[in-house]
Amino acid sequence: MASLQSAYKHSSLLPPLSGSALKVIAVLSMVADHCAYYLMEHGTLFYEVMRCFGRIAFPVFAFLIAEGFQYTRNRMKYFLQLLGFAVISELPWYLLNGADGTHNVLFTLALGVMALAAFEAMKKDGILCGAVILSIAGFATWSGVDYEWRGILMMVVFYLLGNVCNPSFPSGRKAQLFCAFPLMMHYGIVGTLLACLVIACYNGTRGFIHGQVAKYGFYAFYPVHLILLVLIGK
């Protein structure tokens, strides 16, 4: 890890951002996006600016899921935590969106962890591994989770190029962003470029967020902010 950070410092003019900083940026982006979508008049200039900034959130979360999966000690617990908070978030999601057949993004992230676990379990059998990952992506689309199959494949791309191939830090980051870009750009070019810039600044450190309270606080923030949007929107 130290050598990767050293390579980053000597090869990039971008300001370094820790994993904690990426989480904060992603959360702020998500809140801006949801406030615009649920509380503002659509089509206004301010609305469009807020939505562009909001496009940063998911690619950064997808990147952090890939990073977290690589370093977590208990991958099943990681999956169950995401799934549990996804279930909790489903009621406020339903109150905001109605019976439109969609489901909140934490389900997407949980399915992404499942896809990464499938890769680790089956990577010696490339065909079977690919089929299972594509099946999970297909299920994401069929079930209507946010970002659908693109979200699943985005996490897989970040994981494959960030961990399995184990390239040098700078070129590895460029490869991750280059390969994930076509999946990300579906949700807007400007937001995708901003997300790429944020991810490119990642320096490989955990940052200032430590401990279980802070960890679960980030998980809990998602359903809490949805509940607040429900109350404000009434």
Side-chain angles (χ1 to χ4, degrees), residues 9 14 20 34-35 43 45 47 65 96 99 110 138 147 152 172 184 196 198-199 216:
K9 291 176 182 177
L14 297 173
S20 299
H34 288 172
C35 285
L45 177 60
Y47 168 85
I65 286 291
L96 285 169
Y147 294 92
I152 306 301
M184 297 159 62
C196 287
V198 170
I199 294 170
Y216 286 105

Side-chain angles (χ1 to χ4, degrees), residues 186-208:
H186 175 79
Y187 303 100
I189 294 294
V190 175
T192 295
L193 293 174
L194 291 173
C196 287
L197 183 62
V198 170
I199 294 170
C201 291
Y202 177 57
N203 63 4
T205 63
R206 173 179 285 187
F208 51 85

